[in-house]
Amino acid sequence: MNAPVGIFDSGFGGLTVARAIVDQLPGEDIIYLGDTARAPYGPRSIAEVRTFALECLDALVDQGVKTLVIACNSASAAVLADARERYTIPVAEVVLPAAKRAVRVSRTRKIAVLSTQATATSRAYDDAVSATDTDLTTIVCPRFVEFVEAGITGGDELLSVAQKYLQPIKDSPIDTVILGCTHYPLLAGAISYVLGDEVTLVSSADECATATYALLADAGLLREGAPGVRRFLTTGNPEKFTSIASRLLGDFVNVAEACEELVMDKSKGSND
Ligand code: DGL
């Protein structure tokens, strides 16, 4: 019960999930692992994402976590079934909770997911809604990740890219949009501004945090009381991680450490 919650993402974006988990579960210790040396995962093949994700999840299990949260949409899409078989501890992820919420709130039964190429290729969101009478449109928005990582959440260039990506939604009866990538909740203001009030945004970060709460409660693993301790590990450069994280999320990340278990070949990383 006192062990930490392990949260994994390809890089920084999963900090939106970590922050939602801390909001909903302030008594939990968390260990966050960002695979920044090998991010972004979005343009990679599903097989590659799967290999990297399982290495990172193994590293978190070695840290003695009581549950795993796959905060990355691309990784959730690539490993969910494997992860639930591979680990004896509960595993939460981002795809199913967000898909369920979107299906529940949509009145027109037409929803969209904004995602990376890897998530789109996996068709994980299509599978998640396939048993419902809801139509899903997928829009791949790679430039959104670039904007967020550059600390840009507003301005003419971002709004014009958003107009382009989101026009098919504006031209359709879609009334609910899943922010199906860790970075997109940080652009919720811009996305909502372009789409207007009629469209409901579903954040995979918030839904994942709610699902994590339920998973811990069901397993009798909830920890309450004093505020939990937060640790942040990266496969890349810890100083760079801390600096980008604080640009995105203020003082949520005080300091990051190197993940000793996963020493990377630096030539493979672009975001380190
Ligand atoms: N974390 C990834 C996701 O949610 C976005 C960033 C990346 O491509 O690595 O899909």
Side-chain angles (χ1 to χ4, degrees):
M1 186 183 295
N2 284 331
V5 173
I7 306 170
F8 155 65
D9 180 47
S10 57
F12 308 100
L15 292 169
T16 56
V17 177
R19 187 166 63 178
I21 287 177
V22 169
D23 284 347
Q24 293 188 29
L25 294 157
E28 300 292 345
D29 291 347
I30 62 162
I31 302 184
Y32 178 96
L33 171 56
D35 192 7
T36 40
R38 298 183 292 193
Y41 281 8
R44 293 185 184 275
S45 70
I46 299 290
E48 202 170 25
V49 172
R50 184 177 173 280
T51 304
F52 294 168
L54 292 177
E55 277 174 17
C56 291
L57 293 168
D58 285 353
L60 280 172
V61 169
D62 290 347
Q63 296 275 340
V65 299
K66 65 181 172 186
T67 188
L68 287 167
V69 180
I70 309 174
C72 177
N73 282 259
S74 308
S76 292
V79 300
L80 180 60
D82 297 330
R84 294 223 162 109
E85 269 178 28
R86 186 178 178 104
Y87 305 108
T88 50
I89 53 176
V91 181
E93 53 82 46
V94 277
V95 172
L96 290 179
K100 262 195 212 154
R101 172 70 62 197
V103 167
R104 213 166 297 138
V105 299
S106 173
R107 284 161 283 117
T108 58
R109 320 306 300 162
K110 305 221 178 299
I111 67 177
V113 60
L114 311 182
S115 78
T116 65
Q117 186 59 57
T119 300
T121 305
S122 76
R123 300 187 60 82
Y125 279 97
D126 303 78
D127 292 346
V129 303
S130 62
T132 71
D133 60 349
T134 308
D135 284 342
L136 176 76
T137 300
T138 302
I139 301 181
V140 175
C141 309
R143 292 216 52 208
F144 281 172
V145 171
E146 292 167 22
F147 281 116
V148 169
E149 301 232 332
I152 299 168
T153 55
D156 289 348
E157 198 190 345
L158 168 65
L159 287 176
S160 123
V161 169
Q163 290 282 2
K164 244 182 240 145
Y165 282 148
L166 303 176
Q167 195 58 44
I169 297 176
K170 294 176 73 174
D171 294 338
S172 80
I174 290 168
D175 69 347
T176 305
V177 171
I178 301 169
L179 305 178
C181 169
T182 47
H183 291 54
Y184 302 171
L186 294 163
L187 299 179
I191 293 169
S192 184
Y193 179 70
V194 170
L195 289 176
D197 289 346
E198 298 302 301
V199 177
T200 303
L201 301 186
V202 173
S203 155
S204 55
D206 290 340
E207 299 309 323
C208 175
T210 306
T212 303
Y213 187 107
L215 208 62
L216 291 175
D218 285 349
L221 289 173
L222 279 180
R223 174 170 175 240
E224 315 238 10
V229 173
R230 313 198 284 258
R231 278 184 73 204
F232 299 91
L233 306 181
T234 171
T235 57
N237 178 316
E239 285 78 39
K240 193 165 175 197
F241 186 96
T242 309
S243 135
I244 296 182
S246 52
R247 200 168 66 212
L248 295 175
L249 295 165
D251 59 5
F252 181 72
V253 177
N254 34 15
V255 67
E257 308 158 44
C259 177
E260 301 297 343
E261 276 190 74
L262 291 173
V263 177
M264 294 298 153
D265 169 359
K266 299 290 182 238
S267 63
K268 289 188 188 155
S270 60
N271 224 346
D272 171 36

